[in-house]
Amino acid sequence: MSFKALSPTFSVAPQLTEADVAEAAKMGFRSIVSNRPDGEEMGQPTAADISSVAKRNGLAFAHVPVVAGKITSDDANAMREALAHLPRPILAFCRSGTRSATLWALADSDAKDPAAAVETAKRAGYDLSSIMPALERRAKATRQTTYDILIVGGGSAGISTAASLRKRNRKISIAVIDPAETHYYQPGWTLVGAGVFSPEQTRHSEASVIPNGVEWIQAAVTDFLPEQNQVQLADGRVVKYHVLVAAPGIKLAWDAIPGLAEALGSNGVTSNYRYDLAPYTYRLVREFRRGRALFTQPPMPIKCAGAPQKAMYLSCDIWSDARVLQNIDVEFHNAGAVLFGVPAYVPALESYIKRYGIDLRLESKLVAVDGQKKIATLERKTTNGSVERIEQSFDLLHAVPPQVAPEFVARSVLAGPSGFIEVDPATLQHVRYQNVFALGDVAGTSNAKTAAAARKQAPVVAVNALAVLEGKRPAADYNGYGSCPLTVERGKIVLAEFGYGGKLLPSFPTWLIDGTRPSRTAWFLKERLLPPIYWRGMLKGREWMVHPHLIEKPA
Ligand code: FAD
């Protein structure tokens, strides 16, 4: 059997036998693709047959069956997806090899000159001249998908940036890539967990938040390819850009705590870090009358560093009102060495720890959960510096998972040593790729990972991305602002607002809101004002109180 090479990593062949597959493995192929539907002719091995032979020979296998003469663009996309994921070199076959060659040309048409692809196939003995118009159409469509600005992630940061860009320039092409159907206002989940908001108040369809004039590509990015100014999608497509804005958020590593993922949602185990579980938190808290309640906080970084303790204070407030708090042992296991990272807010928080009778355990980390037995395993530092493991029974556990950079980010060339994207902390421009920016939770900056930070960062990135698009230098800078409204009771908030280095950056005069003290006005802000500011302001490019600060030009 002769295999015809169409590129250094892709060859085609007529129907393979078992011996041909073994031969392919010996020649160094790493994957087989069958483009034949099963049962086309008598005696034809099935896809399952070839798949098991491939497996025996250590080869990957994909079945992308197409009908001769009826290849559709969906077929080409399916082939593209297979080619994107299979180890190379790849050997594809059909009855004669023509369908495999056709799919190869169509699947990868963005990377090929149509005439050259037809010529290559001709030299290998396949006449693809009839698909020339289709190849040209696909190549043209791909050329059009080089966006001026491409945003990865349509969460708080990505959508705000898209809206801020549109406010400044309506002529450029912008696309947001995000596979999600739903956009969440995650800061609302703390209040869902305390019965103040309904879950529905914290969600809208993703389609409804994409700004007018911005294209939504509903797909997941699997790779950043900044050398080629493109990103790779899970469905095999690539999307090109002039400037990239990366905002795919942070990954909740539920599986990093053995037993936690399985335990969530029953046996008193919950977390406000999931939309579907925040209502369960409220149900548990409302019905809880006596026993031990554990609240845990993992090591930094996490999004909204105050959220683990916010859940605890609001629960205690509910129990206090129900006059059952005295029957409940509340423990706060915080992996950190301090109650809150910025000292100015600690006294106010400590007063609530005291008031609710909370047993505060610092440097104590949740490492395993047995939901059935209702036992949490915790690791804590002892006074002599060693680490001891303890098992603690519970009746209610509010757990917050460790958080890491999304996997495709951490293994990309954009990542710094932490796995997050390595950007300049002021301009949010990538330190190695000048036409790349990152903001929101994925940015490897030291600010508090909050929607409040994204609100401030988005206009800065919009200004800077547009400057780079015009060949200029970044013009705006970000001071590290982030905010954490610590809900210490229903009706009062300690409003932590700070920037890089823990510098206090209050938005309001002290007579209106003194962030270091519990404040009713701050609660009003969180409950009544911030949701509309989010949906109708931030996501619409209205930069209320977050107008970007411009870098002073050297004299
Ligand atoms: P996200 O809003 O999480 O959006 C990331 C987006 O990227 C998602 O839409 C996702 O679908 C998409 N994405 C992921 N992977 C891919 C991929 N491979 N390809 C394409 N797209 C992808 N902040 C505050 O300011 N105040 C608060 O009080 C507050 N409280 C909080 C309470 C809780 C319980 C939680 C969970 C968070 C809280 N936050 C708070 C934090 C805030 O929600 C986040 O910091 C903010 O949402 C970060 O925005 P982001 O756009 O970076 O990430």
Side-chain angles (χ1 to χ4, degrees), residues 152-158 177-180 182 184 186-187 189-190 206 219-222 247-250 272-273 303-304 307 310 408 439-442 449-454 483-485 526:
V152 174
S156 305
I177 306 180
D178 197 315
T182 307
Y184 294 104
Q186 300 166 39
W189 295 350
T190 296
E206 182 69 21
V221 170
T222 53
I250 197 166
N272 286 349
Y273 274 69
K303 53 179 155 187
C304 196
K310 292 188 215 175
F408 79 102
L439 77 162
D441 294 347
V442 83
K449 292 191 184 298
T450 56
S483 155
C484 192
K526 165 97 183 157

mmCIF file of all heavy atoms in Angstrom, residues 152-158 177-180 182 184 186-187 189-190 206 219-222 247-250 272-273 303-304 307 310 408 439-442 449-454 483-485 526, ligand 1:
data_model
loop_
_atom_site.group_PDB
_atom_site.id
_atom_site.type_symbol
_atom_site.label_atom_id
_atom_site.label_comp_id
_atom_site.label_asym_id
_atom_site.label_seq_id
_atom_site.Cartn_x
_atom_site.Cartn_y
_atom_site.Cartn_z
ATOM 1 N N VAL A 152 -10.913 37.201 24.327
ATOM 2 C CA VAL A 152 -11.163 35.822 24.743
ATOM 3 C C VAL A 152 -11.797 35.852 26.127
ATOM 4 O O VAL A 152 -11.162 36.268 27.108
ATOM 5 C CB VAL A 152 -9.853 35.003 24.753
ATOM 6 C CG1 VAL A 152 -10.099 33.607 25.323
ATOM 7 C CG2 VAL A 152 -9.296 34.898 23.350
ATOM 8 N N GLY A 153 -13.041 35.428 26.218
ATOM 9 C CA GLY A 153 -13.773 35.449 27.489
ATOM 10 C C GLY A 153 -14.797 36.568 27.499
ATOM 11 O O GLY A 153 -14.430 37.745 27.378
ATOM 12 N N GLY A 154 -16.056 36.187 27.629
ATOM 13 C CA GLY A 154 -17.142 37.184 27.656
ATOM 14 C C GLY A 154 -17.750 37.280 29.041
ATOM 15 O O GLY A 154 -18.958 37.337 29.205
ATOM 16 N N GLY A 155 -16.886 37.290 30.075
ATOM 17 C CA GLY A 155 -17.354 37.493 31.443
ATOM 18 C C GLY A 155 -17.338 38.978 31.774
ATOM 19 O O GLY A 155 -17.416 39.840 30.878
ATOM 20 N N SER A 156 -17.198 39.281 33.062
ATOM 21 C CA SER A 156 -17.240 40.680 33.504
ATOM 22 C C SER A 156 -16.197 41.522 32.769
ATOM 23 O O SER A 156 -16.499 42.616 32.272
ATOM 24 C CB SER A 156 -16.944 40.758 35.003
ATOM 25 O OG SER A 156 -17.815 39.931 35.714
ATOM 26 N N ALA A 157 -14.980 41.012 32.704
ATOM 27 C CA ALA A 157 -13.879 41.795 32.136
ATOM 28 C C ALA A 157 -13.989 41.886 30.613
ATOM 29 O O ALA A 157 -13.815 42.964 30.034
ATOM 30 C CB ALA A 157 -12.543 41.166 32.525
ATOM 31 N N GLY A 158 -14.274 40.764 29.972
ATOM 32 C CA GLY A 158 -14.303 40.737 28.502
ATOM 33 C C GLY A 158 -15.413 41.605 27.940
ATOM 34 O O GLY A 158 -15.196 42.395 27.001
ATOM 35 N N ILE A 177 -14.873 35.770 22.088
ATOM 36 C CA ILE A 177 -14.995 34.310 22.028
ATOM 37 C C ILE A 177 -15.372 33.802 23.417
ATOM 38 O O ILE A 177 -14.655 34.075 24.390
ATOM 39 C CB ILE A 177 -13.664 33.639 21.616
ATOM 40 C CG1 ILE A 177 -13.144 34.234 20.308
ATOM 41 C CG2 ILE A 177 -13.846 32.137 21.476
ATOM 42 C CD1 ILE A 177 -11.835 33.617 19.830
ATOM 43 N N ASP A 178 -16.466 33.109 23.528
ATOM 44 C CA ASP A 178 -16.880 32.521 24.810
ATOM 45 C C ASP A 178 -17.883 31.412 24.529
ATOM 46 O O ASP A 178 -18.848 31.632 23.804
ATOM 47 C CB ASP A 178 -17.509 33.595 25.722
ATOM 48 C CG ASP A 178 -17.582 33.147 27.174
ATOM 49 O OD1 ASP A 178 -17.986 31.989 27.414
ATOM 50 O OD2 ASP A 178 -17.228 33.938 28.064
ATOM 51 N N PRO A 179 -17.661 30.226 25.096
ATOM 52 C CA PRO A 179 -18.598 29.130 24.811
ATOM 53 C C PRO A 179 -19.881 29.195 25.648
ATOM 54 O O PRO A 179 -20.839 28.489 25.365
ATOM 55 C CB PRO A 179 -17.794 27.874 25.208
ATOM 56 C CG PRO A 179 -16.834 28.354 26.252
ATOM 57 C CD PRO A 179 -16.528 29.799 25.931
ATOM 58 N N ALA A 180 -19.896 30.057 26.679
ATOM 59 C CA ALA A 180 -20.989 30.000 27.669
ATOM 60 C C ALA A 180 -22.309 30.502 27.097
ATOM 61 O O ALA A 180 -22.335 31.427 26.293
ATOM 62 C CB ALA A 180 -20.609 30.840 28.888
ATOM 63 N N THR A 182 -24.588 31.512 29.313
ATOM 64 C CA THR A 182 -25.086 32.413 30.349
ATOM 65 C C THR A 182 -23.962 33.281 30.889
ATOM 66 O O THR A 182 -22.838 32.815 31.066
ATOM 67 C CB THR A 182 -25.666 31.565 31.512
ATOM 68 O OG1 THR A 182 -26.616 30.663 30.950
ATOM 69 C CG2 THR A 182 -26.355 32.426 32.539
ATOM 70 N N TYR A 184 -22.935 35.502 34.186
ATOM 71 C CA TYR A 184 -23.310 35.597 35.603
ATOM 72 C C TYR A 184 -22.754 36.850 36.251
ATOM 73 O O TYR A 184 -21.611 37.245 35.982
ATOM 74 C CB TYR A 184 -22.771 34.387 36.373
ATOM 75 C CG TYR A 184 -23.406 33.089 35.956
ATOM 76 C CD1 TYR A 184 -22.715 32.186 35.150
ATOM 77 C CD2 TYR A 184 -24.699 32.769 36.354
ATOM 78 C CE1 TYR A 184 -23.304 30.990 34.759
ATOM 79 C CE2 TYR A 184 -25.290 31.572 35.968
ATOM 80 C CZ TYR A 184 -24.585 30.692 35.166
ATOM 81 O OH TYR A 184 -25.164 29.521 34.772
ATOM 82 N N GLN A 186 -21.457 37.272 39.372
ATOM 83 C CA GLN A 186 -21.033 36.427 40.496
ATOM 84 C C GLN A 186 -21.051 37.147 41.852
ATOM 85 O O GLN A 186 -21.319 36.511 42.871
ATOM 86 C CB GLN A 186 -19.644 35.838 40.221
ATOM 87 C CG GLN A 186 -19.585 34.979 38.965
ATOM 88 C CD GLN A 186 -18.161 34.672 38.510
ATOM 89 O OE1 GLN A 186 -17.271 34.437 39.314
ATOM 90 N NE2 GLN A 186 -17.952 34.672 37.216
ATOM 91 N N PRO A 187 -20.762 38.470 41.895
ATOM 92 C CA PRO A 187 -20.822 39.138 43.197
ATOM 93 C C PRO A 187 -22.188 38.988 43.870
ATOM 94 O O PRO A 187 -22.298 39.120 45.094
ATOM 95 C CB PRO A 187 -20.537 40.601 42.844
ATOM 96 C CG PRO A 187 -19.684 40.533 41.618
ATOM 97 C CD PRO A 187 -20.226 39.359 40.842
ATOM 98 N N TRP A 189 -23.846 36.250 44.150
ATOM 99 C CA TRP A 189 -24.061 34.911 44.724
ATOM 100 C C TRP A 189 -23.975 34.905 46.250
ATOM 101 O O TRP A 189 -24.621 34.104 46.913
ATOM 102 C CB TRP A 189 -23.071 33.903 44.120
ATOM 103 C CG TRP A 189 -23.303 33.687 42.649
ATOM 104 C CD1 TRP A 189 -24.370 34.137 41.910
ATOM 105 C CD2 TRP A 189 -22.457 32.989 41.722
ATOM 106 N NE1 TRP A 189 -24.233 33.767 40.592
ATOM 107 C CE2 TRP A 189 -23.071 33.061 40.449
ATOM 108 C CE3 TRP A 189 -21.245 32.321 41.846
ATOM 109 C CZ2 TRP A 189 -22.502 32.476 39.299
ATOM 110 C CZ3 TRP A 189 -20.678 31.736 40.711
ATOM 111 C CH2 TRP A 189 -21.310 31.811 39.462
ATOM 112 N N THR A 190 -23.150 35.836 46.799
ATOM 113 C CA THR A 190 -23.084 35.941 48.261
ATOM 114 C C THR A 190 -24.470 36.271 48.819
ATOM 115 O O THR A 190 -24.892 35.721 49.844
ATOM 116 C CB THR A 190 -22.084 37.055 48.656
ATOM 117 O OG1 THR A 190 -20.787 36.665 48.200
ATOM 118 C CG2 THR A 190 -22.044 37.285 50.153
ATOM 119 N N GLU A 206 -25.841 35.067 27.646
ATOM 120 C CA GLU A 206 -24.600 35.656 27.106
ATOM 121 C C GLU A 206 -24.944 36.515 25.888
ATOM 122 O O GLU A 206 -24.411 37.619 25.725
ATOM 123 C CB GLU A 206 -23.613 34.534 26.736
ATOM 124 C CG GLU A 206 -22.260 34.996 26.214
ATOM 125 C CD GLU A 206 -21.380 35.673 27.272
ATOM 126 O OE1 GLU A 206 -21.584 35.464 28.485
ATOM 127 O OE2 GLU A 206 -20.481 36.444 26.867
ATOM 128 N N ALA A 219 -17.515 29.583 21.169
ATOM 129 C CA ALA A 219 -16.579 28.453 21.132
ATOM 130 C C ALA A 219 -15.573 28.640 22.250
ATOM 131 O O ALA A 219 -15.468 29.727 22.806
ATOM 132 C CB ALA A 219 -15.862 28.431 19.784
ATOM 133 N N ALA A 220 -14.852 27.568 22.558
ATOM 134 C CA ALA A 220 -13.813 27.659 23.594
ATOM 135 C C ALA A 220 -12.450 27.768 22.928
ATOM 136 O O ALA A 220 -12.185 27.092 21.931
ATOM 137 C CB ALA A 220 -13.856 26.431 24.483
ATOM 138 N N VAL A 221 -11.608 28.602 23.478
ATOM 139 C CA VAL A 221 -10.224 28.705 22.989
ATOM 140 C C VAL A 221 -9.407 27.595 23.659
ATOM 141 O O VAL A 221 -9.564 27.346 24.862
ATOM 142 C CB VAL A 221 -9.639 30.089 23.333
ATOM 143 C CG1 VAL A 221 -8.145 30.146 23.075
ATOM 144 C CG2 VAL A 221 -10.368 31.165 22.539
ATOM 145 N N THR A 222 -8.582 26.931 22.881
ATOM 146 C CA THR A 222 -7.735 25.889 23.474
ATOM 147 C C THR A 222 -6.257 26.288 23.489
ATOM 148 O O THR A 222 -5.477 25.727 24.250
ATOM 149 C CB THR A 222 -7.847 24.556 22.715
ATOM 150 O OG1 THR A 222 -7.592 24.817 21.330
ATOM 151 C CG2 THR A 222 -9.229 23.943 22.877
ATOM 152 N N ALA A 247 -9.286 37.416 28.606
ATOM 153 C CA ALA A 247 -10.054 37.584 29.851
ATOM 154 C C ALA A 247 -10.886 36.334 30.155
ATOM 155 O O ALA A 247 -12.084 36.435 30.416
ATOM 156 C CB ALA A 247 -10.960 38.808 29.731
ATOM 157 N N PRO A 248 -10.245 35.151 30.149
ATOM 158 C CA PRO A 248 -11.054 33.947 30.386
ATOM 159 C C PRO A 248 -11.220 33.574 31.860
ATOM 160 O O PRO A 248 -11.653 32.467 32.175
ATOM 161 C CB PRO A 248 -10.290 32.863 29.619
ATOM 162 C CG PRO A 248 -8.872 33.303 29.695
ATOM 163 C CD PRO A 248 -8.869 34.809 29.752
ATOM 164 N N GLY A 249 -10.884 34.475 32.780
ATOM 165 C CA GLY A 249 -11.185 34.231 34.200
ATOM 166 C C GLY A 249 -10.230 33.258 34.877
ATOM 167 O O GLY A 249 -9.125 32.982 34.398
ATOM 168 N N ILE A 250 -10.679 32.743 36.016
ATOM 169 C CA ILE A 250 -9.859 31.859 36.857
ATOM 170 C C ILE A 250 -10.568 30.502 36.924
ATOM 171 O O ILE A 250 -11.788 30.430 36.756
ATOM 172 C CB ILE A 250 -9.697 32.492 38.263
ATOM 173 C CG1 ILE A 250 -8.553 31.875 39.055
ATOM 174 C CG2 ILE A 250 -10.989 32.428 39.060
ATOM 175 C CD1 ILE A 250 -8.155 32.710 40.302
ATOM 176 N N ASN A 272 -20.946 29.044 47.912
ATOM 177 C CA ASN A 272 -21.506 30.171 47.144
ATOM 178 C C ASN A 272 -20.726 30.405 45.857
ATOM 179 O O ASN A 272 -21.087 31.270 45.068
ATOM 180 C CB ASN A 272 -21.474 31.461 47.978
ATOM 181 C CG ASN A 272 -22.538 31.457 49.053
ATOM 182 O OD1 ASN A 272 -23.431 30.605 49.058
ATOM 183 N ND2 ASN A 272 -22.457 32.400 49.975
ATOM 184 N N TYR A 273 -19.646 29.648 45.640
ATOM 185 C CA TYR A 273 -18.858 29.831 44.420
ATOM 186 C C TYR A 273 -19.480 29.134 43.215
ATOM 187 O O TYR A 273 -18.893 29.124 42.141
ATOM 188 C CB TYR A 273 -17.403 29.363 44.630
ATOM 189 C CG TYR A 273 -16.568 30.481 45.221
ATOM 190 C CD1 TYR A 273 -16.784 30.917 46.521
ATOM 191 C CD2 TYR A 273 -15.600 31.142 44.470
ATOM 192 C CE1 TYR A 273 -16.050 31.960 47.058
ATOM 193 C CE2 TYR A 273 -14.855 32.187 44.998
ATOM 194 C CZ TYR A 273 -15.094 32.595 46.286
ATOM 195 O OH TYR A 273 -14.374 33.645 46.816
ATOM 196 N N LYS A 303 -10.775 34.428 43.649
ATOM 197 C CA LYS A 303 -11.564 35.605 43.284
ATOM 198 C C LYS A 303 -12.383 36.031 44.489
ATOM 199 O O LYS A 303 -12.887 35.202 45.233
ATOM 200 C CB LYS A 303 -12.429 35.364 42.052
ATOM 201 C CG LYS A 303 -13.332 34.179 42.049
ATOM 202 C CD LYS A 303 -14.103 34.173 40.727
ATOM 203 C CE LYS A 303 -14.567 32.801 40.329
ATOM 204 N NZ LYS A 303 -15.157 32.779 38.993
ATOM 205 N N CYS A 304 -12.464 37.299 44.669
ATOM 206 C CA CYS A 304 -13.109 37.918 45.825
ATOM 207 C C CYS A 304 -12.651 37.260 47.127
ATOM 208 O O CYS A 304 -13.344 36.420 47.712
ATOM 209 C CB CYS A 304 -14.619 37.890 45.735
ATOM 210 S SG CYS A 304 -15.296 39.052 46.936
ATOM 211 N N ALA A 307 -15.066 36.675 49.980
ATOM 212 C CA ALA A 307 -16.326 35.922 49.846
ATOM 213 C C ALA A 307 -16.452 34.744 50.824
ATOM 214 O O ALA A 307 -17.558 34.493 51.332
ATOM 215 C CB ALA A 307 -16.511 35.463 48.410
ATOM 216 N N LYS A 310 -17.605 36.318 53.951
ATOM 217 C CA LYS A 310 -18.916 36.975 53.802
ATOM 218 C C LYS A 310 -20.023 35.951 54.031
ATOM 219 O O LYS A 310 -21.023 36.231 54.700
ATOM 220 C CB LYS A 310 -19.071 37.523 52.381
ATOM 221 C CG LYS A 310 -18.182 38.669 52.022
ATOM 222 C CD LYS A 310 -18.645 39.182 50.644
ATOM 223 C CE LYS A 310 -17.539 39.657 49.786
ATOM 224 N NZ LYS A 310 -17.969 40.037 48.435
ATOM 225 N N PHE A 408 -5.500 25.921 29.761
ATOM 226 C CA PHE A 408 -4.973 26.336 28.443
ATOM 227 C C PHE A 408 -4.172 27.632 28.552
ATOM 228 O O PHE A 408 -3.311 27.904 27.714
ATOM 229 C CB PHE A 408 -6.101 26.457 27.405
ATOM 230 C CG PHE A 408 -6.912 27.730 27.480
ATOM 231 C CD1 PHE A 408 -6.682 28.759 26.579
ATOM 232 C CD2 PHE A 408 -7.889 27.890 28.436
ATOM 233 C CE1 PHE A 408 -7.432 29.936 26.636
ATOM 234 C CE2 PHE A 408 -8.637 29.060 28.506
ATOM 235 C CZ PHE A 408 -8.406 30.080 27.616
ATOM 236 N N LEU A 439 -6.764 41.064 31.337
ATOM 237 C CA LEU A 439 -7.384 41.721 32.495
ATOM 238 C C LEU A 439 -8.353 40.750 33.146
ATOM 239 O O LEU A 439 -8.604 39.652 32.645
ATOM 240 C CB LEU A 439 -8.103 43.013 32.087
ATOM 241 C CG LEU A 439 -9.467 42.906 31.412
ATOM 242 C CD1 LEU A 439 -10.177 44.261 31.493
ATOM 243 C CD2 LEU A 439 -9.348 42.474 29.973
ATOM 244 N N GLY A 440 -8.891 41.184 34.275
ATOM 245 C CA GLY A 440 -9.796 40.314 35.023
ATOM 246 C C GLY A 440 -8.998 39.281 35.796
ATOM 247 O O GLY A 440 -7.782 39.422 36.022
ATOM 248 N N ASP A 441 -9.684 38.211 36.193
ATOM 249 C CA ASP A 441 -9.069 37.232 37.089
ATOM 250 C C ASP A 441 -7.849 36.530 36.485
ATOM 251 O O ASP A 441 -7.012 35.996 37.211
ATOM 252 C CB ASP A 441 -10.107 36.169 37.482
ATOM 253 C CG ASP A 441 -11.235 36.743 38.328
ATOM 254 O OD1 ASP A 441 -11.084 37.883 38.820
ATOM 255 O OD2 ASP A 441 -12.256 36.059 38.494
ATOM 256 N N VAL A 442 -7.756 36.505 35.158
ATOM 257 C CA VAL A 442 -6.656 35.760 34.526
ATOM 258 C C VAL A 442 -5.339 36.536 34.518
ATOM 259 O O VAL A 442 -4.279 35.966 34.262
ATOM 260 C CB VAL A 442 -7.054 35.365 33.083
ATOM 261 C CG1 VAL A 442 -6.795 36.513 32.098
ATOM 262 C CG2 VAL A 442 -6.328 34.119 32.627
ATOM 263 N N LYS A 449 -8.690 40.030 42.938
ATOM 264 C CA LYS A 449 -9.393 39.537 41.748
ATOM 265 C C LYS A 449 -10.890 39.732 41.963
ATOM 266 O O LYS A 449 -11.549 38.903 42.604
ATOM 267 C CB LYS A 449 -9.048 38.073 41.497
ATOM 268 C CG LYS A 449 -7.581 37.885 41.086
ATOM 269 C CD LYS A 449 -7.320 36.490 40.593
ATOM 270 C CE LYS A 449 -5.853 36.256 40.266
ATOM 271 N NZ LYS A 449 -5.307 37.098 39.197
ATOM 272 N N THR A 450 -11.406 40.829 41.457
ATOM 273 C CA THR A 450 -12.807 41.181 41.673
ATOM 274 C C THR A 450 -13.389 41.796 40.401
ATOM 275 O O THR A 450 -12.650 42.280 39.539
ATOM 276 C CB THR A 450 -12.943 42.228 42.801
ATOM 277 O OG1 THR A 450 -12.127 43.360 42.462
ATOM 278 C CG2 THR A 450 -12.513 41.682 44.147
ATOM 279 N N ALA A 451 -14.730 41.806 40.334
ATOM 280 C CA ALA A 451 -15.394 42.482 39.221
ATOM 281 C C ALA A 451 -15.105 43.980 39.302
ATOM 282 O O ALA A 451 -15.035 44.670 38.280
ATOM 283 C CB ALA A 451 -16.890 42.217 39.274
ATOM 284 N N ALA A 452 -14.923 44.468 40.537
ATOM 285 C CA ALA A 452 -14.614 45.887 40.725
ATOM 286 C C ALA A 452 -13.278 46.222 40.055
ATOM 287 O O ALA A 452 -13.120 47.298 39.457
ATOM 288 C CB ALA A 452 -14.552 46.219 42.215
ATOM 289 N N ALA A 453 -12.322 45.302 40.153
ATOM 290 C CA ALA A 453 -11.026 45.517 39.486
ATOM 291 C C ALA A 453 -11.232 45.518 37.972
ATOM 292 O O ALA A 453 -10.711 46.393 37.260
ATOM 293 C CB ALA A 453 -10.041 44.426 39.899
ATOM 294 N N ALA A 454 -12.026 44.564 37.486
ATOM 295 C CA ALA A 454 -12.267 44.484 36.031
ATOM 296 C C ALA A 454 -12.941 45.759 35.534
ATOM 297 O O ALA A 454 -12.663 46.230 34.427
ATOM 298 C CB ALA A 454 -13.132 43.269 35.727
ATOM 299 N N SER A 483 -12.092 45.959 44.901
ATOM 300 C CA SER A 483 -12.966 46.259 46.024
ATOM 301 C C SER A 483 -13.623 44.984 46.510
ATOM 302 O O SER A 483 -13.925 44.095 45.724
ATOM 303 C CB SER A 483 -14.021 47.267 45.572
ATOM 304 O OG SER A 483 -15.163 47.157 46.384
ATOM 305 N N CYS A 484 -13.803 44.912 47.811
ATOM 306 C CA CYS A 484 -14.410 43.728 48.394
ATOM 307 C C CYS A 484 -15.431 44.176 49.445
ATOM 308 O O CYS A 484 -15.043 44.586 50.539
ATOM 309 C CB CYS A 484 -13.297 42.886 49.021
ATOM 310 S SG CYS A 484 -13.866 41.268 49.466
ATOM 311 N N PRO A 485 -16.702 44.158 49.096
ATOM 312 C CA PRO A 485 -17.700 44.567 50.081
ATOM 313 C C PRO A 485 -17.971 43.427 51.067
ATOM 314 O O PRO A 485 -18.658 42.467 50.740
ATOM 315 C CB PRO A 485 -18.944 44.871 49.236
ATOM 316 C CG PRO A 485 -18.603 44.503 47.827
ATOM 317 C CD PRO A 485 -17.310 43.774 47.825
ATOM 318 N N LYS A 526 -24.263 47.958 47.698
ATOM 319 C CA LYS A 526 -24.104 46.569 47.220
ATOM 320 C C LYS A 526 -25.450 45.978 46.772
ATOM 321 O O LYS A 526 -25.549 45.328 45.734
ATOM 322 C CB LYS A 526 -23.504 45.730 48.363
ATOM 323 C CG LYS A 526 -23.591 44.217 48.187
ATOM 324 C CD LYS A 526 -22.336 43.633 47.637
ATOM 325 C CE LYS A 526 -22.461 42.143 47.398
ATOM 326 N NZ LYS A 526 -21.525 41.645 46.431
HETATM 327 P P1 FAD B 1 -15.459 35.762 34.651
HETATM 328 O O1 FAD B 1 -16.487 36.798 34.922
HETATM 329 O O2 FAD B 1 -15.471 34.529 35.475
HETATM 330 O O3 FAD B 1 -15.564 35.407 33.104
HETATM 331 C C1 FAD B 1 -14.697 34.521 32.453
HETATM 332 C C2 FAD B 1 -15.344 34.163 31.114
HETATM 333 O O4 FAD B 1 -14.400 33.453 30.320
HETATM 334 C C3 FAD B 1 -16.573 33.255 31.274
HETATM 335 O O5 FAD B 1 -17.670 33.789 30.593
HETATM 336 C C4 FAD B 1 -16.119 31.945 30.664
HETATM 337 O O6 FAD B 1 -17.174 31.234 30.032
HETATM 338 C C5 FAD B 1 -15.065 32.394 29.662
HETATM 339 N N1 FAD B 1 -14.097 31.363 29.332
HETATM 340 C C6 FAD B 1 -13.532 30.473 30.182
HETATM 341 N N2 FAD B 1 -12.725 29.645 29.487
HETATM 342 C C7 FAD B 1 -12.779 30.045 28.197
HETATM 343 C C8 FAD B 1 -12.171 29.567 26.997
HETATM 344 N N3 FAD B 1 -11.358 28.498 27.009
HETATM 345 N N4 FAD B 1 -12.432 30.195 25.848
HETATM 346 C C9 FAD B 1 -13.252 31.279 25.820
HETATM 347 N N5 FAD B 1 -13.878 31.761 26.919
HETATM 348 C C10 FAD B 1 -13.635 31.139 28.086
HETATM 349 N N6 FAD B 1 -16.221 40.749 42.733
HETATM 350 C C11 FAD B 1 -16.515 42.003 43.198
HETATM 351 O O7 FAD B 1 -16.097 42.989 42.623
HETATM 352 N N7 FAD B 1 -17.279 42.173 44.315
HETATM 353 C C12 FAD B 1 -17.817 41.128 44.982
HETATM 354 O O8 FAD B 1 -18.530 41.318 45.959
HETATM 355 C C13 FAD B 1 -17.554 39.811 44.506
HETATM 356 N N8 FAD B 1 -18.065 38.745 45.140
HETATM 357 C C14 FAD B 1 -17.896 37.501 44.608
HETATM 358 C C15 FAD B 1 -18.506 36.422 45.217
HETATM 359 C C16 FAD B 1 -18.402 35.156 44.689
HETATM 360 C C17 FAD B 1 -19.073 34.005 45.370
HETATM 361 C C18 FAD B 1 -17.660 34.955 43.497
HETATM 362 C C19 FAD B 1 -17.559 33.583 42.883
HETATM 363 C C20 FAD B 1 -17.021 36.026 42.882
HETATM 364 C C21 FAD B 1 -17.123 37.308 43.431
HETATM 365 N N9 FAD B 1 -16.493 38.398 42.852
HETATM 366 C C22 FAD B 1 -16.731 39.661 43.346
HETATM 367 C C23 FAD B 1 -15.448 38.199 41.825
HETATM 368 C C24 FAD B 1 -15.896 38.506 40.396
HETATM 369 O O9 FAD B 1 -17.074 37.837 40.089
HETATM 370 C C25 FAD B 1 -14.784 38.121 39.433
HETATM 371 O O10 FAD B 1 -13.580 38.697 39.864
HETATM 372 C C26 FAD B 1 -15.097 38.600 38.024
HETATM 373 O O11 FAD B 1 -16.228 37.933 37.534
HETATM 374 C C27 FAD B 1 -13.897 38.405 37.110
HETATM 375 O O12 FAD B 1 -14.232 38.680 35.787
HETATM 376 P P2 FAD B 1 -13.539 37.866 34.586
HETATM 377 O O13 FAD B 1 -14.180 38.403 33.346
HETATM 378 O O14 FAD B 1 -12.089 37.893 34.734
HETATM 379 O O15 FAD B 1 -14.006 36.362 34.818
#
